[in-house]
Structures are given as C-alpha cells and as structure tokens.
Amino acid sequence: MSSPFTGTRHLVRLILRRDRWILPAWIVGLGGTITASALAVPSFYDTPEKVAGYAGAVGTSPVSHLMSGRQAGIDTLGGIVANEISQVAQLGICLMVMFLVVRHTRAEEESGRAELVRSTVVGRHAATLAALLYGVAAALVIGLVTTVSMLAVDLGLLGSVTYGAGLTLLGLCYVAITLVAVQVATSAREALGLAGAAIAVGYLVRGVGAMQDNALVWVSPFGWAQRMDAFGAEQWWPAVPVVLLTAALLGVAGWLTVHRDFAGGVLPARPGRPRASRFLGTPLGLTLRLQRGLLIGWAVGLTALGLLYGAVMPTIPDLVASNPDIAEVIGASPDVEQALTDAFLRYIFLFMAAASCGFVVTSVLRLRAEEESGRAELVLATGVRRTSWMAAAAVVAFAGVLLLTLLMGLGLAVGYAVGTGEWDRVVEHVGGQTSYLPGVLVVAALAVAVVGLWPRRSLLAWAVVAFVVVQVLLGETLRLPSWVDAVSPFSHLPEVPVEDFDPVPGLVELALAAGAVGWGLWAFRRRDVTTP
Amino acid sequence: MAAVELEGVVKTFGAVRALDGVDLTVEAGEVHGFLGPNGAGKSTAIRVLLGLLKADSGRATLLGGDPWGEAAELHRRIAYVPGDVALWPGLTGGEVIDVLARLRGGLDERRRAETIERFEFDPTKKCRTYSKGNRQKVALIAALASRAELYLLDEPTSGLDPLMEKEFQQAVLELKDEGATVLLSSHILAEAEALSDRISIIRAGQVVQSGSLAELRHLTRTTVIAETARSAAHLAEVDGVHHPRFVGARITFDVDSVHLDAAVQALAPLGVRSLSVHPPTLEELFLRQYGEEATA
C-alpha cells in the first residue's frame, strides 16, 4: 500500500545519517550554551537581596523587555535564569529548525538529489513530513536539554517543564512557518530569507509589545511561548494558539506541495535579459550582481531594525518616570535618563553589529558555494586571476557591511527623529554604529582567511559568528574568563556612547583584518580549486 | 610547437592517485581525442592544464607557458567547456554567455549570434530552468563565441540530443579549419572517431595508447571473414592469426595487422568465394585495451 506518506521512515533515516555531525553540533552548541548559562546564573544570585536587585534593575529595564520580553517570576531565581537565556534559546531554536528544515527540503530539490529520491517509492508528502518530524525532534531535544539543566539547579519542576515546553512549541511553530516558506520560495536562499524574516518579525513584535506592555505580545509566537509564564503562575492555554497556528501552516504547506511543480515555486519564472549589461563583465560586477538579493534583503531587514529601535528610544524617559524602581537602583539623579538611554544605545549598536556579522559571513562563504558547485571553475578558466576573484568577494562583503552599518545608524536616527522631531542626532547615531564596524570587519576577514586556508572547514567562519553572538548576548551572564572575552573583537572597541570614542583599537583591528584578508588571498593562490 | 604537453604528471588526492605519470602531447592545429572511461583521470588532467589543480610532480605546458604560474594570461587564449556545467540560477543563459566571454577578454558578436542560432538556444531564460543539455549549450556557446587558439572540451556533448551533437561536430571541424587546436575529452567513441586527428587513451591515471587512428589500428587486429572452396583449417597455423572459428565453409578469424598479408596469402589458394575484411572500430580498440588490461 502506498500513501502520500510512504517512505517517510526511510527519508528520516537518510536525514539522520546525513546530519550525523550537523545535528549534534547544533545540540551541543545551542544546548550547551543554554546549559552553561543556566548553571552559571544561580551562583551570582545567591541571596534574596541580589535576586531583588535583579528584579528591580533588569526586570524593569526597557532594553531587557525589548530584547527578552517580560519574563514571569523575574523576582525568583527561575525567572532570572529564564530571562537570561531567553534571547539565545528562543532565537537559537528558531534558527536551528529553519536551517535544518530548509536543508532537507528546498536545498535538496535544488541540488537534484531529491528528484532521485522521489523517483523511488516515496509519497508526495513524505519529504515534508520527514523534515517536520526531524525539525520537531531537534526542537524537542533542545527543550528537554533546557528543562533538564534548569532542574539541575533546582528551579522547580513545573516552571522548568513549562519553560522547556514553551521553547519547544516555539520551535515547532517555526518548523511549520519554514515549511510554508520552502513551498513559496523558488530557491533555498529565498526560503531562508522568508523564514528568517518571519523569525525577525516575531521576535521584534514581541519585544516592542513587551516594552510598551501592550497586546502586540499576543501577535507573536515568541509572546505566546513566553506567556505560558514559566516560574510565575504557569498557564498552558497559550499553547493552544501555537498548536492551532502550526496545524494551519502545515495544512497550507501540504496544499502548496500539491499545487506547485517539483523544484518550482508558487510564483512563475519570468523571461530575463538576453544580453548581459556592460557592468557584468568584471569579477566585481559579477559578484555584486550575484549578491544583490542578499544585500538588499539584509539592508531592508537591518534598516527596519534600526528604525524600530530608534522609534522606541524616546519612550525610555517615560518608562523611567513610571518606574521609580529604576531610579532607585541606578541612582536618582537627572542623569539617570541619559545613562539609561546611553546604555540602551550601546547595547543596540553592539546587537546590530553582531547581527551584521551574519551578512558578512554569508557573503564571504558564497565563495565556497561557487567553488563547490563548479561555477568558480568556469570563471577561473577565463582570464580572471584567482586573487581578483576572491578580492571581488571580499570587497563586496566589506563595502556591503559598511553600507549596512550606515543604514542601521540612519535607521536609528530617523526612527528617533520621527518620534521626537529631533533631527540633530544623525551624526551621533551613524557615527556610533560605525564605531563598532571594525569588529565586524575582523569577523569578515577571518572568513576570507578560512576560505583560503581551510576550504573544507568553512563552517569555522560560522563558529566565529556564533562565538561573537554568544559573547555579546550572554558574556555577562556566563561571566566568561577575561581571556575568552578578549578573543571577541568587540571587547576591545570603546563602548560608545557610554565611553568616549577612541580610534586606536578600531584602527588596530582594521590592520588585523587587512592582514587576515591578505593571508587568505595568499593561501588561495597556492591551493587547488575545489571542483565538484 | 605542441599546444599541450604533459610529461609524467602526477596528481594525488589523499590516497588516490588520480594521475599516475600522464604523458600527453597535442600538436598545434590538431583535434586530439582524449578517451577513457569514467574516473580514468580525463577531467583531472584538463584541470591541471587549466591551472585549477597543481600537479604534485611532472611538467605541464600549455601554449608554451606554465598553466599554474601564468594561468590568467594563458586563459585569454583558450576556451573551456566542462562536462557538467553549473550556472548561476538567477542569471539568464544570454547573460552567462556574455559574462564568460567578456571575462575571457572578448566576444565575437557575429559568432555569438550564429552559434545561438545553430544550437537553437533561448538566451532569455533563467539558468535555474535549463535542462542539462541546455546548460551544456550555454558553456559551448560561450566557448565557441570567442576566438581561441586552444579549446579544452571535457565531454562537451553530454546531454545534447543527436541533432545538436551533429551541429557540435560541424562546429569543431570549422574550428579546425580556422587553425585552432582542440583537446576533446570524450567517452562517445563515434564522436572522437569522426573528429580526431590523433587519439590518446587514458586508463587509471596513465595514457596507455597514443597516435592517429590508423596507427592505433595498425597496432591491433583486423577481423577477416571468408568463404572458401577448400578447407581453411591450416589458417590456424599462420603466424598472427587468432581465434579461428569455422561454420561450414566459412572461416572467421582475427589477425594482427602486421600479419595481414601472410594470412591473405594463405587464403588465396583455397578458392575464395567471398571475403570481407574490416579494421577494428575505435570501440573495439577501446574495449580491447580495457579487456586485455582487465584480464592481464
């Protein structure tokens, strides 16, 4: 008997075999970070005074609300742990299921391997179901690891289970969202873009809702998961909308699977230009054209992020006024508002700089995709020098992230001005964001070096990004040893605007970045080009 | 001067010896067939010639230059078609043809138009929608549309239909008339037989035979089928005759090309009623090369 799901079991086994390193890497990386944080936090809050202090400071901080939402039971150890890990755990689980699901659906179709598999006895929905089961299983493992590590520090059974369940449900919801994105998109990259945008929107909507303390929280799966109120008055009914949305999305994904062609998208392909524009005849022009979509997508996303953060910034004084606790903790001086706004800005600058590391590494690692597909061979068999080919990619990544940095700063300034009518902060915001750029360029340069030196270990470049993000988001929670903090390029840059700008560390980092790029180019000239 | 020269080229990937001392000479102006089964080292040899891979030892010369050290300069004088063409999914076929030709250093507009028409190619579609044959056409058109001294074609017709295959053969003959050199790697023997002046057969990383088709045939056996009035049983005793088979009055045997004369002399007095002699096809040459090595 064959059903639309025939062969699912074999596909799941194939997925597990292919991901025997990738899945454990996600679980160890993400689960390990969550566990380490959960284990580290309680020792810092070992007296009721310290717990109360956290609740007073962080629990009322608009930055914390924007980034981590309003965590229930923030005046208990459980709430503190949940609040500290929530950013990495929630964003991490969503990104994990997104990458895993796209990898085994759209990317497989694109490579042509899926065609081979589906010509065997495999039902129409088997591939979708296999990816669903796989994504859900991965989310379950992360949820379980989180619950267990919370139990390991005696955070209470009900709270720990509720938190882990909320996290897993969030992952489940984004598995379904990704499965729809996969059907709508015409390529794996487009699917990643759509699903990534859905994660960003869900995260930001919850953040703004929590910051302003309004109903927006209930528009986002992030909000639903959090409003299960682990470590507060646990309630399980917010799981209902998550499950309903997931079921509806799976229905849509199933319907789309039936109504589109294999390897096609919902939107039909249009005819294009029969001739290349003059601009395309150089390695730089070609690279720019190939990364146009990537750059536009990131530019739109990060500009919107800047606008949003800029728009909420003016509300900080009001939030302080309505919350005498903050003043109590920081000190009741007229500078309190300024200090809070500076701290907010500094964190936003750092957060957006870390986010833009995602762009530079994606951009630089396109070199590897070009090599592995055989397209690099086609270009390098023409009159293009290897160094020109690689340098073109580095230029696009560096110039691209410079553009993104300016746009993020401008977004902040414009968002701020729209709310306040004050247009005189543009230089301050753009300059402040740019002061963090050297750190991003170091990450980009390391990616170039990896491509030149260890082409088959290009995931190392993503490990650098993962480290930087964890250091930025969790560095204080984990109380990393100072030498570990020192590895991050952002640790050495002045904390603008909390500290005054100092050009020296940035210039030193630029020199290091130039050296790493040179090293990568040198190594690439001396190695074999990877051919398929 | 030879257009391509490989002398004792060795290339290893980990424990695998992909090229195990390859010797290959392609004279300027000839079409050289480069034959071998999958995995014999054809593509690896071509990639060494393109400077994409660095040989572990041995000497490679391309148009008188060093393919590793002077890659970019040499590439302006050559055109390359890989056997499995990967293209940018978001660019159209027409754009890719222009990009590759311009990066090589020039595009002959007339040839571009002619070749697109010849291969009945639609340049307005996005590459992600092209079939394998159409992707192959993109690389072929990009190569043929630029005037090169040397064409390195690595199984260029895989995925093409027979009509397009014929157009391809015609195009290669035109290149030869213009004085260009072509290194044509293939496992389609009819194609190589129709086009090649000389042929090299590669097996397990070594060139095992090299020469014109006539020379290669001379090294091997001719098949003779004769019907004779009197018994031909003693033919089995003649030097160089192999595998005589008798069916009634008919004898079929293979004979080493150098002993053909003696065999025919021996047949003549027997009253020959019918006689057919055919030289080995390239396919037989090829299969024999592998069959003998396999049984040895």
Side-chain angles (χ1 to χ4, degrees):
Chain A
M1 280 299 289
S2 85
S3 78
F5 304 111
T6 303
T8 304
R9 198 163 50 90
H10 293 291
L11 290 181
V12 169
R13 280 163 59 184
L14 179 65
I15 288 173
L16 291 175
R17 168 63 180 76
R18 289 189 55 213
D19 279 8
R20 67 198 189 285
W21 298 114
I22 287 180
L23 182 62
W26 272 107
I27 289 169
V28 170
L30 180 57
T33 307
I34 291 171
T35 305
S37 310
L39 297 183
V41 170
S43 60
F44 306 133
Y45 301 97
D46 50 359
T47 65
E49 291 74 31
K50 288 181 184 169
V51 170
Y54 184 93
V58 180
T60 56
S61 150
V63 182
S64 173
H65 290 158
L66 183 58
M67 293 294 173
S68 306
R70 283 178 189 264
Q71 176 59 45
I74 198 74
D75 53 351
T76 66
L77 196 53
I80 294 176
V81 170
N83 196 54
E84 288 290 306
I85 67 173
S86 81
Q87 236 180 324
V88 164
Q90 293 192 326
L91 287 175
I93 201 167
C94 293
L95 290 171
M96 175 185 77
V97 297
M98 173 182 86
F99 281 116
L100 293 180
V101 168
V102 171
R103 178 175 152 76
H104 290 288
T105 50
R106 196 75 216 195
E108 278 296 280
E109 273 186 47
E110 218 164 78
S111 72
R113 284 189 292 266
E115 207 170 343
L116 201 62
V117 170
R118 277 176 221 184
S119 65
T120 62
V121 187
V122 166
R124 185 181 281 279
H125 294 295
T128 303
L129 181 61
L132 170 68
L133 292 174
Y134 180 56
V136 170
L140 257 176
V141 172
I142 293 296
L144 206 63
V145 166
T146 307
T147 296
V148 167
S149 52
M150 285 177 153
L151 288 174
V153 285
D154 291 326
L155 291 186
L157 183 63
L158 185 55
S160 304
V161 170
T162 307
Y163 190 84
L167 194 58
T168 307
L169 284 169
L170 178 65
L172 170 72
C173 192
Y174 274 95
V175 168
I177 288 172
T178 309
L179 282 170
V180 172
V182 153
Q183 298 298 330
V184 175
T186 51
S187 69
R189 281 173 186 167
E190 209 178 301
L192 287 175
L194 287 174
I199 294 174
V201 168
Y203 174 70
L204 293 173
V205 164
R206 190 277 311 263
V208 172
M211 189 179 178
Q212 315 291 358
D213 205 9
N214 62 28
L216 270 182
V217 169
W218 294 104
V219 181
S220 160
F222 282 83
W224 298 334
Q226 190 161 41
R227 286 314 311 270
M228 288 171 71
D229 286 348
F231 303 108
E234 282 87 357
Q235 50 186 4
W236 281 66
W237 63 262
V240 175
V242 179
V243 171
L244 287 180
L245 177 65
T246 303
L249 288 167
L250 289 176
V252 171
W255 186 85
L256 288 171
T257 307
V258 179
H259 287 84
R260 76 170 174 106
D261 291 335
F262 181 81
V266 171
L267 306 165
R270 296 181 308 269
R273 300 158 167 261
R275 300 302 305 257
S277 69
R278 181 189 300 274
F279 176 71
L280 266 179
T282 64
L284 190 61
L286 178 62
T287 309
L288 204 51
R289 166 65 194 275
L290 296 176
Q291 302 208 5
R292 191 173 63 185
L294 180 75
L295 190 55
I296 291 174
W298 277 88
V300 169
L302 291 180
T303 307
L305 194 65
L307 278 170
L308 181 83
Y309 288 151
V312 298
M313 210 172 359
T315 64
I316 290 175
D318 302 340
L319 294 166
V320 175
S322 66
N323 236 312
D325 289 353
I326 301 180
E328 236 170 73
V329 172
I330 300 181
S333 80
D335 296 334
V336 168
E337 285 176 13
Q338 191 55 44
L340 261 180
T341 308
D342 282 354
F344 177 86
L345 252 183
R346 182 236 155 202
Y347 193 80
I348 296 299
F349 285 151
L350 197 55
F351 182 79
M352 296 206 291
S356 64
C357 289
F359 163 78
V360 287
V361 170
T362 307
S363 171
V364 170
L365 288 190
R366 288 276 175 97
L367 284 170
R368 286 298 297 155
E370 292 292 291
E371 267 193 81
E372 284 171 349
S373 66
R375 294 186 294 256
E377 178 182 50
L378 223 45
V379 171
L380 293 172
T382 69
V384 175
R385 276 168 209 290
R386 287 184 182 208
T387 38
S388 318
W389 180 75
M390 197 180 201
V395 167
V396 168
F398 278 58
V401 80
L402 171 63
L403 177 73
L404 293 181
T405 301
L406 297 178
L407 285 175
M408 291 186 291
L410 263 179
L412 264 180
V414 171
Y416 183 80
V418 166
T420 59
E422 293 173 30
W423 289 91
D424 55 347
R425 307 285 291 275
V426 175
V427 173
E428 182 196 331
H429 289 155
V430 173
Q433 187 64 58
T434 310
S435 74
Y436 290 86
L437 180 60
V440 185
L441 296 184
V442 167
V443 173
L446 287 175
V448 175
V450 165
V451 170
L453 287 161
W454 305 290
R456 295 187 193 281
R457 302 276 175 275
S458 54
L459 281 178
L460 277 175
W462 279 114
V464 173
V465 176
F467 168 76
V468 165
V469 168
V470 167
Q471 200 270 336
V472 167
L473 298 184
L474 278 175
E476 287 172 26
T477 304
L478 288 170
R479 308 274 152 94
L480 296 168
S482 55
W483 66 267
V484 176
D485 277 329
V487 175
S488 167
F490 293 107
S491 307
H492 306 282
L493 297 171
E495 296 179 357
V496 176
V498 177
E499 295 175 6
D500 288 335
F501 177 65
D502 171 9
V504 175
L507 289 173
V508 171
E509 291 194 354
L510 283 182
L512 284 174
V517 169
W519 198 15
L521 288 170
W522 177 84
F524 181 59
R525 277 185 56 188
R526 272 154 191 79
R527 71 165 169 88
D528 288 345
V529 173
T530 312
T531 50
Chain B
M1 186 194 67
V4 167
E5 261 188 306
L6 293 177
E7 284 175 48
V9 169
V10 174
K11 178 68 192 174
T12 55
F13 298 106
V16 181
R17 247 174 129 75
L19 297 182
D20 191 11
V22 166
D23 297 305
L24 176 72
T25 306
V26 178
E27 297 297 339
E30 73 176 2
V31 176
H32 194 104
F34 193 31
L35 307 182
N38 301 329
K42 299 191 295 288
S43 298
T44 305
I46 288 176
R47 283 168 178 152
V48 167
L49 283 172
L50 285 167
L52 296 170
L53 302 177
K54 188 167 172 49
D56 298 339
S57 63
R59 208 169 64 86
T61 315
L62 184 76
L63 297 173
D66 168 14
W68 179 260
E70 307 162 49
E73 292 80 2
L74 292 171
H75 290 171
R76 293 178 183 280
R77 299 161 62 194
I78 68 162
Y80 167 58
V81 178
D84 193 357
V85 180
L87 302 172
W88 298 278
L91 267 56
T92 64
E95 284 179 310
V96 172
I97 290 168
D98 286 348
V99 166
L100 291 177
R102 284 180 198 162
L103 291 176
R104 187 174 291 122
L107 176 70
D108 184 327
E109 288 293 340
R110 196 175 53 81
R111 289 238 309 224
R112 181 190 190 273
E114 278 172 8
T115 328
I116 284 181
E117 193 170 341
R118 161 177 250 163
F119 287 106
E120 296 169 11
F121 179 71
D122 176 1
T124 65
K125 284 191 182 163
K126 291 277 167 68
C127 289
R128 73 164 57 87
T129 65
Y130 286 131
S131 65
K132 171 157 175 49
N134 275 324
R135 289 200 305 272
Q136 206 66 37
K137 283 184 193 175
V138 172
L140 263 177
I141 294 168
L144 296 174
S146 51
R147 291 182 184 277
E149 291 172 47
L150 170 65
Y151 292 81
L152 297 174
L153 311 178
D154 189 1
E155 300 189 3
T157 56
S158 48
L160 289 193
D161 64 47
L163 288 174
M164 293 301 125
E165 161 78 36
K166 195 161 157 265
E167 289 299 334
F168 166 75
Q169 294 195 8
Q170 189 56 40
V172 170
L173 292 175
E174 287 168 20
L175 293 178
K176 191 182 155 190
D177 287 343
E178 290 169 14
T181 311
V182 179
L183 177 60
L184 173 66
S185 134
S186 183
H187 55 225
I188 302 171
L189 299 164
E191 174 181 285
E193 194 164 11
L195 296 175
S196 305
D197 300 308
R198 291 201 309 136
I199 281 167
S200 291
I201 298 180
I202 185 169
R203 178 180 179 278
Q206 289 182 322
V207 171
V208 287
Q209 287 213 331
S210 202
S212 68
L213 202 51
E215 284 166 356
L216 292 187
R217 282 185 175 138
H218 197 66
L219 290 175
T220 55
R221 294 165 190 168
T222 299
T223 304
V224 178
I225 304 167
E227 223 174 303
T228 52
R230 289 174 288 281
S231 165
H234 72 280
L235 252 290
E237 317 295 317
V238 175
D239 269 356
V241 170
H242 303 272
H243 314 303
R245 279 93 68 196
F246 300 93
V247 180
R250 192 169 71 189
I251 175 173
T252 305
F253 61 89
D254 300 333
V255 58
D256 292 337
S257 297
V258 287
H259 293 112
L260 186 59
D261 184 49
V264 173
Q265 299 270 2
L267 271 178
L270 303 179
V272 177
R273 290 186 189 145
S274 78
L275 178 67
S276 80
V277 177
H278 65 85
T281 62
L282 185 56
E283 187 160 349
E284 282 168 324
L285 282 179
F286 189 77
L287 291 176
R288 184 164 294 158
Q289 188 62 46
Y290 283 90
E292 280 177 6
E293 295 286 338
T295 51

